[in-house]
Amino acid sequence: MTQSNRLDNGGRIDRSKPLTFTFDGKQYTGYQGDTLASALVANGVRLLGRSFKYHRPRGLIAAGSEEPNALMQLETGPYTEPNTRATCVELYDGLVASSQNRWPSLNFDVGGVNSLVARFLPAGFYYKTFMWPASMWMTYEKFIRKAAGLGVSPVENDPDVYHGTYAHCDVLVIGAGPAGLAAATMAAGSGARVMLLDEGSEPGGSLLGTSKNTAALEFVKNSMQELERNENVRVLTRTTATGYYDYNYITALEKVTDHLGPGNGGSLPRQRFWKIRAKQVVIAAGSIERPLVFADNDRPGVMLANAVGTYINQYGALPGKDIVVFTNNDSAYQVALDASDNGAVVTVVDTRSSVDPAVKARLEQNNIRLFEGHAISSVQGAKGVTAVRIMELSADGDSLQGQAWEISCSIVANSGGWTPSCHMVSQSGGKLKYVDEIAGFIPDDNRQKKSCPNISAGSCNGSFDTDTCITEGIKAGLDAAQRCGLSASAPSISNLNVSEIPLGDISPIWLVPTTHPVGEGSAKHFHDFQNDVTAADIHLAAREGFLSVEHLKRYTTTGMATDQGKTSNLNALAIMANIQGVSIPEVGTTTFRPPYTPLTLGAVGGQESRELFIQERQTPMHEWHVANGAKFEDVGDWKRAWYYPKDGEDMHSAVQRETLAVRESVGMLDASTLGKIDIQGKDALKLIEMVYTNNWQKLAIGSCRYGLMLNEHGMIFDDGVTTRLGENHYHMTTTTGGAARVMSWLEEWLQTEWPEWEVYCTSVTEQWAVMALNGPKARELLQSITDIDLDKEAFPFMTMREGTVAGVPARVFRISFTGEVSYEINVPARYGKHLIEALAEAGKKYDLCPYGTETMHVLRAEKGFIIVGQDTDGTVTPHDMDMDWIVSKTKEEYLGNRAQERVDTKREGRPQLVGLLTEDPTVVLPEGAHIVSEVLEAPPMPTIGHVTSSYMSPNAGRSIALALLQDGINRKGDVVTLCLMNGDVIKATVSDTVFVDVEGVRVRG
Amino acid sequence: MFIVNCPYCGDRDQTEFSCHGEAHIPRPTETAKLTDDEWGEYVFFRSNPKGYHRERWLHVHGCRRWFNALRHTVTDEFVATYKIEDPRPPIPEGGQS
């Protein structure tokens, strides 16, 4: 396949390295150095996709990251990526791309009928049409989702690897065009640590796309040589600054190996996400040419003028042989000359009525026809430009007059002026100001945020002339370095003169009239190509009262989608300003938000994905659990043994067996995850008295006590057993999930409210491995491997003893979460595995049964022991839990005391914890099931409570449940009704919360 | 993403910290004597100024020390950070808290 539009010479491509690629199944050839876009241009492919809403044929508009139309589905299978801009995809051999939003084919697209019914698809169409009835929304949504959207998401896991990395520097320079290179060179020369980022594959920015590139490229080369020599400088190409956050925190996406093709990156990541903290930032982000808004300006072949210039000069590809340049400013004239120099027949249509005679003379040298004071009234050719019609523009620019001339052409290179890229400065919190001379917004130096020091230089600052860009860059680089306390002197600057045509004035024309008024007739004036928004939509929005720019954006969807309005925003604002008869700054701009260009989520995640996403916590006994077939449950970040199925058992059978075994013989549970806090200091008791609801004054050394913690709303937020180890030394335990929360709670009060107290809290959760032995044979078993006297008189319930267990030092707590005789054996974490192995060995003759958290839940529910966070939900007081016994009546002050006296916490009818016994003992209520006061045909029904815990209890021989029920304590004995999700209605009797060993004799046995 | 100057550790990234709202609200003593409204005032009501604000910060993924900061809620400028026991730094000229 020949590259019909490829020039014989020029450009940054390597003609000795041909690359083969396919677009929509057809094979083409490009060269090393091409982008997918430039290779398609070189092959004369103009039709690249269908538009979002109307499915209109679309082609390339730009050559850079602002491209709104040429969105490609790149590659296939797990590597596929939707909505990639062809202008940002570097060509590699074997690249596979396909067009989007078309069916069955790009040339014949069924959705194209949307174009015919366009009058029924105006702005706000979805909001208006699919609003009623509300119940139908779910149905509509499916169809809308299918019809909308562009590319297709991959369905397989992403096989690529991504990295995240941090960097710090004195001066960060965003953009390596003329201003950025100058700034970086100057800052580096001052001794600053410099980072220079550029989204292109090589530094140079706009200089790479100029026809006078000998001087320009010399400047790039010299600057780069100087930067590369300096070890304080890091230059990152293929790297886009995506976000600018407070205190000069900048994120950037580096496409490390994308340009090599999928799977060819070797050991390097696909992309790297940089998080950079800079003392000073120089923004040299350049500017974006904006299109003129004229009738049917979306035909494939209508491009931005500078894109045409870039394809010619940087990529050696002439987009078409007959080119009409349509402009309202001088910047497009160089493009006209460049195209003409490379063999194109060029016509210039300028909306301004008089063009500089010197420029006219230069055009004549190339035989370029010029129409002054004219405008394009229509564009012919549905799937690609074939001709344009031009007419004379009235003096006020509001209408066309005279005879229409038709000019055959395949490309329309249009320029409506340049919009400085203020994204970064705006994201940093800086404000913008409107400048008439360039008809655009630039950073307002006086209104930048102090915490985000930055300097804009070059065309993002509204200075479009290349030599001015370099001058500004030099100054910005020096100023930034100086603000970091470094200095150097400015060098003498040589003029680059990259443009033959001096940049004169611009005469804004925001909406080019046609023969019909806007919105009438079949012609469409697009200002936002990616979201298919037209000038008529802005008129409609204005008529319907969506005048604020933020409303306009959301109502018409202007400036949304992947290009975020890079080419469209200013045109939209200006058209709205004209409609309202106000100035553009009065309309204002919408907020620029990160990311600047689309960002791969994988890159943001970096290496913190898959098993590193959350680091799981394992107890010292974890290997033993795995070896013994445990199933695991996630509790916070912990992996806890859930149950241990024996040959073919399901969860239910395993749990029933384990639950019986504990009460019949003995069971062991890994309780290492319980939070443990070592509390010492002469004021330790004062702290404990303040954070628990009960009295601790009389707790003897070596004794344990259960405590409840309340927040200042009077609500239970944690519980646990605390043991007094010495005069001023306590060992506090917390729930597994609440460990960190309780630790923070203690620290907060100690540091902020009672800093004078002498108390030291240390988290020792991971320092101790804990095995809980429970059951009638626990004593006998433990005695066989410990030197501690376990006699029930010598070592009573709720006390602690120290000694050795299985030959290692241990603290043994006789506390119980099952209601059985129970010993919680704490050994230093490094002996955890030894301990569980020793227990398993010694336990063989006692039928020792390892059990997991599920059995633990059943056992504690059989005894009515609550689990904070399951039976409580942050709205529950001790009284609601029927736990008045643990609330001190004598303590004057403790956290949460006052709130319990509030009118609302004392009122009658609050939900209270009760037991529930279903009429049919085999029915296990679902947790969360609602108790209703009245059964209705369908939800909602008046609810008076809900089930918090529910199990089949083998020891009670029936199902049991705990519930929060309004005024529950007074309702014991009543029969209540539960209505389940599936409509089943179940009766249950309100009962006490203890279902097994009601007298509580076993635990002291 | 701020840079926060921990009075104990120096400049650190915001990800190491957590912010806990308005500072200098001591827990009342003799709470039994308070009305529900007075108690509610302590637990729930906070000033929410557009401007300078004294806040409690915690270097949670660092030294775990609590300290106070004087921050502007619009510009996010930290005027000062100071230890719990330190005197309150003044509000800059022209500012209101």
Side-chain angles (χ1 to χ4, degrees):
Chain A
M1 187 90 202
T2 57
Q3 300 178 38
S4 56
N5 286 351
R6 185 70 76 181
L7 299 168
D8 294 335
N9 297 297
R12 309 280 298 155
I13 45 160
D14 185 347
R15 289 177 177 76
S16 69
K17 290 184 183 151
L19 304 171
T20 311
F21 69 102
T22 62
F23 171 63
D24 275 350
K26 198 169 161 187
Q27 204 168 71
Y28 299 94
T29 312
Y31 291 126
Q32 185 73 44
D34 262 325
T35 61
L36 174 56
S38 69
L40 288 165
V41 167
N43 284 281
V45 182
R46 283 191 298 176
L47 176 56
L48 299 184
R50 290 272 173 170
S51 74
F52 181 64
K53 198 159 80 172
Y54 303 122
H55 290 246
R56 286 176 59 120
R58 288 284 166 82
L60 277 169
I61 285 190
S65 60
E66 72 272 27
E67 172 61 36
N69 274 349
L71 302 183
M72 299 286 166
Q73 185 86 31
L74 197 63
E75 297 304 333
T76 54
Y79 287 107
T80 195
E81 187 177 356
N83 304 338
T84 56
R85 288 147 294 157
T87 51
C88 297
V89 176
E90 291 178 52
L91 197 65
Y92 50 82
D93 203 41
L95 180 147
V96 178
S98 23
S99 56
Q100 302 184 154
N101 210 31
R102 82 301 193 257
W103 185 86
S105 79
L106 187 55
N107 251 315
F108 177 74
D109 171 57
V110 167
V113 297
N114 282 5
S115 233
L116 304 178
V117 296
R119 69 170 64 212
F120 306 116
L121 291 168
F125 164 72
Y126 294 126
Y127 302 127
K128 290 168 183 164
T129 312
F130 298 111
M131 278 299 283
W132 292 283
S135 60
M136 280 299 284
W137 170 249
M138 301 300 267
T139 313
Y140 293 143
E141 198 191 8
K142 277 182 206 141
F143 289 100
I144 294 171
R145 292 263 174 255
K146 205 170 167 186
L150 293 163
V152 181
S153 304
V155 289
E156 294 171 59
N157 279 340
D158 188 344
D160 281 312
V161 173
Y162 301 86
H163 279 187
T165 189
Y166 293 87
H168 295 258
C169 61
D170 294 321
V171 179
L172 171 71
V173 182
I174 299 171
L181 282 171
T185 313
M186 282 303 107
S190 310
R193 286 181 307 144
V194 174
M195 286 183 78
L196 173 61
L197 316 180
D198 193 274
E199 65 180 358
S201 59
E202 56 177 332
S206 62
L207 296 176
L208 302 173
T210 115
S211 52
K212 308 290 163 198
N213 56 20
T214 341
L217 295 178
E218 195 65 20
F219 169 79
V220 175
K221 201 174 110 193
N222 292 341
S223 305
M224 282 309 295
Q225 275 176 356
E226 203 167 327
L227 291 172
E228 275 158 10
R229 267 203 304 269
N230 190 326
E231 59 181 18
N232 284 330
V233 176
R234 193 201 296 265
V235 180
L236 296 172
T237 52
R238 301 189 172 101
T239 305
T240 307
T242 55
Y244 192 142
Y245 305 87
D246 279 303
Y247 288 73
N248 277 357
Y249 185 79
I250 284 89
T251 55
L253 179 74
E254 180 186 7
K255 293 184 173 176
V256 185
T257 57
D258 274 3
H259 62 287
L260 302 175
N264 294 333
S267 60
L268 289 170
R270 178 189 171 210
Q271 297 177 346
R272 188 177 285 131
F273 194 57
W274 289 83
K275 287 159 251 187
I276 305 163
R277 191 73 83 163
K279 284 184 190 152
Q280 295 288 326
V281 175
V282 174
I283 303 171
S287 54
I288 294 169
E289 195 168 24
R290 55 180 177 257
L292 286 164
V293 182
F294 55 101
D296 291 334
N297 57 340
D298 68 326
R299 304 279 195 219
V302 179
M303 300 169 76
L304 290 169
N306 90 90
V308 173
T310 301
Y311 287 120
I312 295 171
N313 296 319
Q314 188 172 346
Y315 299 105
L318 182 66
K321 306 230 165 19
D322 310 285
I323 297 180
V324 168
V325 174
F326 183 29
T327 185
N328 67 347
N329 67 89
D330 293 323
S331 71
Y333 281 82
Q334 188 63 50
V335 175
L337 292 174
D338 291 347
S340 167
D341 286 345
N342 283 286
V345 177
V346 181
T347 307
V348 176
V349 179
D350 196 320
T351 58
R352 296 172 300 180
S353 52
S354 68
V355 172
D356 186 340
V359 174
K360 279 199 226 176
R362 180 67 187 84
L363 293 184
E364 273 166 27
Q365 279 178 26
N366 276 45
N367 285 327
I368 297 173
R369 272 191 301 172
L370 170 67
F371 291 86
E372 290 164 283
H374 275 65
I376 291 178
S377 64
S378 72
V379 181
Q380 316 295 314
K383 287 175 189 164
V385 177
T386 55
V388 293
R389 286 194 187 135
I390 64 167
M391 290 171 76
E392 196 183 340
L393 198 59
S394 66
D396 60 8
D398 285 345
S399 59
L400 297 176
Q401 57 201 27
Q403 200 200 331
W405 301 80
E406 185 158 309
I407 306 169
S408 293
C409 62
S410 56
I411 293 293
V412 177
N414 76 112
S415 175
W418 291 78
T419 306
S421 285
C422 294
H423 304 72
M424 286 290 124
V425 78
S426 175
Q427 284 182 28
S428 80
K431 301 289 183 214
L432 309 179
K433 64 179 177 195
Y434 189 78
V435 182
D436 285 321
E437 293 76 56
I438 64 157
F441 287 93
I442 66 167
D444 184 346
D445 288 337
N446 298 322
R447 298 179 66 202
Q448 307 302 343
K449 217 167 161 178
K450 245 197 276 178
S451 57
C452 286
N454 61 58
I455 307 167
S456 289
S459 69
C460 70
N461 198 32
S463 308
F464 300 126
D465 173 70
T466 303
D467 290 316
T468 314
C469 289
I470 293 174
T471 313
E472 280 192 18
I474 289 171
K475 183 168 184 325
L478 290 173
D479 286 354
Q482 196 174 30
R483 290 186 194 175
C484 299
L486 303 158
S487 65
S489 55
S492 58
I493 313 145
S494 58
N495 252 341
L496 291 184
N497 286 323
V498 295
S499 175
E500 292 177 65
I501 308 290
L503 295 177
D505 64 329
I506 172 171
S507 170
I509 177 161
W510 300 108
L511 178 54
V512 178
T514 181
T515 47
H516 291 80
V518 166
E520 291 180 22
S522 59
K524 290 192 173 303
H525 294 68
F526 286 94
H527 67 277
D528 189 311
F529 298 94
Q530 192 165 104
N531 263 341
D532 259 3
V533 194
T534 67
D537 290 324
I538 300 178
H539 279 266
L540 179 72
R543 279 201 301 280
E544 298 191 344
F546 296 92
L547 298 173
S548 141
V549 57
E550 298 288 353
H551 286 152
L552 172 70
K553 171 177 173 173
R554 283 156 186 84
Y555 194 59
T556 63
T557 69
T558 286
M560 293 187 173
T562 65
D563 71 339
Q564 287 285 294
K566 288 186 177 60
T567 54
S568 66
N569 277 348
L570 193 60
N571 281 333
L573 299 177
I575 292 169
M576 181 54 107
N578 279 348
I579 293 169
Q580 293 187 46
V582 300
S583 69
I584 292 170
E586 280 176 84
V587 172
T589 59
T590 55
T591 312
F592 291 89
R593 292 198 174 83
Y596 174 69
T597 48
L599 194 55
T600 317
L601 282 176
V604 178
Q607 50 275 68
E608 282 89 39
S609 68
R610 302 183 177 100
E611 68 274 14
L612 295 180
F613 178 57
I614 290 177
Q615 296 196 25
E616 57 181 56
R617 302 173 78 182
Q618 299 177 348
T619 73
M621 297 77 141
H622 189 81
E623 278 174 40
W624 190 93
H625 302 315
V626 173
N628 284 273
K631 300 284 178 200
F632 289 90
E633 171 180 39
D634 291 335
V635 183
D637 296 339
W638 288 104
K639 290 281 170 196
R640 294 198 71 178
W642 194 11
Y643 58 96
Y644 301 80
K646 272 188 180 169
D647 18 80
E649 274 181 333
D650 61 6
M651 178 169 166
H652 177 77
S653 327
V655 170
Q656 295 293 300
R657 172 180 52 75
E658 291 172 12
T659 308
L660 280 172
V662 171
R663 298 214 191 277
E664 278 167 11
S665 56
V666 58
M668 67 171 175
L669 171 82
D670 180 353
S672 304
T673 62
L674 275 189
K676 295 175 275 292
I677 301 172
D678 186 86
I679 301 173
Q680 301 190 42
K682 71 179 171 57
D683 296 309
L685 179 59
K686 271 161 98 173
L687 174 70
I688 287 166
E689 282 273 299
M690 278 305 283
V691 297
Y692 281 130
T693 59
N694 48 347
N695 288 312
W696 293 77
Q697 300 284 0
K698 290 181 184 155
L699 185 70
I701 292 170
S703 285
C704 318
R705 186 162 291 173
Y706 174 75
L708 268 189
M709 280 187 197
L710 309 185
N711 58 26
E712 285 283 47
H713 308 301
M715 305 301 163
I716 296 170
F717 93 94
D718 209 80
D719 69 347
V721 170
T722 291
T723 304
R724 188 171 188 184
L725 299 176
E727 181 60 29
N728 294 315
H729 189 185
Y730 293 82
H731 176 85
M732 175 183 279
T733 63
T734 73
T735 59
T736 296
R741 193 161 50 231
V742 171
M743 184 69 191
S744 298
W745 180 247
L746 302 180
E747 288 178 332
E748 175 183 349
W749 286 101
L750 281 174
Q751 291 182 36
T752 64
E753 204 70 29
W754 313 305
E756 68 281 8
W757 291 6
E758 199 183 303
V759 191
Y760 305 93
C761 300
T762 310
S763 167
V764 293
T765 301
E766 295 188 346
Q767 274 60 42
W768 295 98
V770 181
M771 287 305 300
L773 275 186
N774 281 274
K777 292 185 191 166
R779 177 177 293 118
E780 214 180 324
L781 163 55
L782 180 57
Q783 194 66 78
S784 72
I785 55 167
T786 184
D787 57 5
I788 301 169
D789 182 0
L790 301 185
D791 178 78
K792 64 176 97 165
E793 307 299 326
F795 189 176
F797 181 51
M798 293 307 273
T799 60
M800 186 279 300
R801 296 290 180 266
E802 288 180 282
T804 64
V805 173
V808 300
R811 287 176 184 167
V812 179
F813 298 80
R814 197 180 157 191
I815 55 180
S816 178
F817 197 39
T818 58
E820 295 299 320
V821 170
S822 170
Y823 299 94
E824 293 194 359
I825 307 155
N826 286 235
V827 297
R830 61 186 178 280
Y831 297 127
K833 191 154 169 279
H834 166 75
L835 175 66
I836 198 170
E837 282 166 357
L839 284 170
E841 185 58 35
K844 278 179 184 161
K845 57 178 172 175
Y846 303 98
D847 300 324
L848 174 66
C849 173
Y851 68 95
T853 50
E854 191 62 25
T855 294
M856 173 189 85
H857 281 188
V858 180
L859 289 164
R860 64 90 201 176
E862 288 178 340
K863 290 294 295 175
F865 296 148
I866 62 164
I867 288 188
V868 172
Q870 175 165 345
D871 301 297
T872 73
D873 61 4
T875 67
V876 175
T877 67
H879 181 71
D880 299 338
M881 284 282 108
D882 199 8
M883 290 172 81
D884 284 335
W885 54 270
I886 201 171
V887 179
S888 166
K889 308 288 179 292
T890 55
K891 270 206 292 199
E892 279 190 5
E893 214 64 79
Y894 58 88
L895 300 178
N897 66 320
R898 176 61 184 81
Q900 291 175 89
E901 303 303 318
R902 288 175 57 226
V903 173
D904 186 65
T905 40
K906 283 180 87 85
R907 74 178 157 83
E908 297 287 303
R910 287 178 61 89
Q912 292 167 325
L913 190 74
V914 293
L916 286 184
L917 295 169
T918 48
E919 208 166 42
D920 177 350
T922 65
V923 169
V924 181
L925 290 165
E927 287 171 358
H930 275 259
I931 307 164
V932 297
S933 59
E934 194 184 350
V935 177
L936 303 178
E937 280 285 310
M941 299 177 208
T943 172
I944 53 173
H946 67 275
V947 176
T948 60
S949 295
S950 179
Y951 310 95
M952 176 53 74
S953 161
N955 295 302
R958 56 157 302 133
S959 69
I960 58 169
L962 298 172
L964 283 168
L965 173 64
Q966 281 175 22
D967 202 23
I969 293 163
N970 287 330
R971 291 194 202 227
K972 284 184 183 170
D974 290 3
V975 174
V976 291
T977 308
L978 295 103
C979 195
L980 308 187
M981 292 283 280
N982 62 11
D984 284 0
V985 173
I986 295 173
K987 298 274 183 200
T989 306
V990 181
S991 72
D992 199 48
T993 54
V994 185
F995 303 98
V996 166
D997 182 28
V998 178
E999 297 75 26
V1001 292
R1002 297 172 67 104
V1003 72
R1004 294 172 189 277
Chain B
M1 189 88 75
F2 307 158
I3 290 175
V4 183
N5 185 263
C6 169
Y8 302 93
C9 306
D11 282 344
R12 292 289 189 279
D13 202 279
Q14 187 186 347
T15 48
E16 294 183 14
F17 296 87
S18 50
C19 179
H20 296 263
E22 191 172 0
H24 304 295
I25 300 178
R27 187 178 199 269
T29 51
E30 300 188 81
T31 53
K33 292 182 182 167
L34 300 180
T35 64
D36 276 6
D37 279 354
E38 286 166 337
W39 178 250
E41 191 70 30
Y42 157 67
V43 176
F44 296 109
F45 287 85
R46 297 291 182 269
S47 67
N48 184 22
K50 182 179 181 179
Y52 292 103
H53 191 216
R54 295 178 193 282
E55 301 170 320
R56 307 193 311 155
W57 283 75
L58 168 61
H59 196 182
V60 58
H61 301 300
C63 64
R64 294 190 68 88
R65 299 294 290 267
W66 287 76
F67 59 91
N68 293 328
L70 177 57
R71 182 178 68 98
H72 196 283
T73 57
V74 178
T75 66
D76 289 326
E77 183 197 351
F78 281 83
V79 178
T81 53
Y82 53 104
K83 296 176 182 174
I84 296 287
E85 64 272 23
D86 288 346
R88 302 179 195 192
I91 304 270
E93 289 288 312
Q96 32 177 280
S97 76

